[in-house]
Amino acid sequence: MPFLDLALSLGISNVIFYELYRKPANAYQYLPRGGCHRAQTFNGLVVGESIRILRRCKSMTDAVKHLAFFQHKLLLRGYCIRDILHCMHTAKVRYHGGARYKLRRSLQHDASVRIAFLKVTHSSTTNYVAISVVIAKYKHLC
């Protein structure tokens, strides 16, 4: 049963399975690589979509299938396979937490170390300087 960009199904023992759902009307008109945009724009598109695919697929088998489909569509739009693979690798590292994930795993056994994360929703009125000052002032408590 499709819901937004997810295909949901109910398995044995009422386990919910989900994977990325692609709408039939999607024309896959990704930004052409020959356009006059900065390299970061193209890389951001590939990394962002790859992370979305990884998040929307419960099994890695489904994710690999959707990443291959995405890669094929990018090749048709003029993207270089080397750049695509590099960006997809970056997405996988970011999705799995990268260095922060490795740090968290290595510190798991040390009960004296506490890791704190601050999530701030962006707004035009958010004062990031004030947040940085407060964090620096009280970081010894973390």
Side-chain angles (χ1 to χ4, degrees), residues 96-107:
H96 292 296
R100 186 173 22 157
Y101 175 77
K102 292 175 188 166
L103 173 69
R104 195 176 321 137
R105 296 287 293 175
S106 67
L107 297 176

Side-chain angles (χ1 to χ4, degrees), residues 46-47 50-51 54 87-96:
V46 178
V47 170
S50 298
I51 290 174
L54 291 168
C87 290
M88 286 185 174
H89 174 73
T90 301
K92 288 176 187 174
V93 169
R94 287 186 189 173
Y95 174 72
H96 292 296

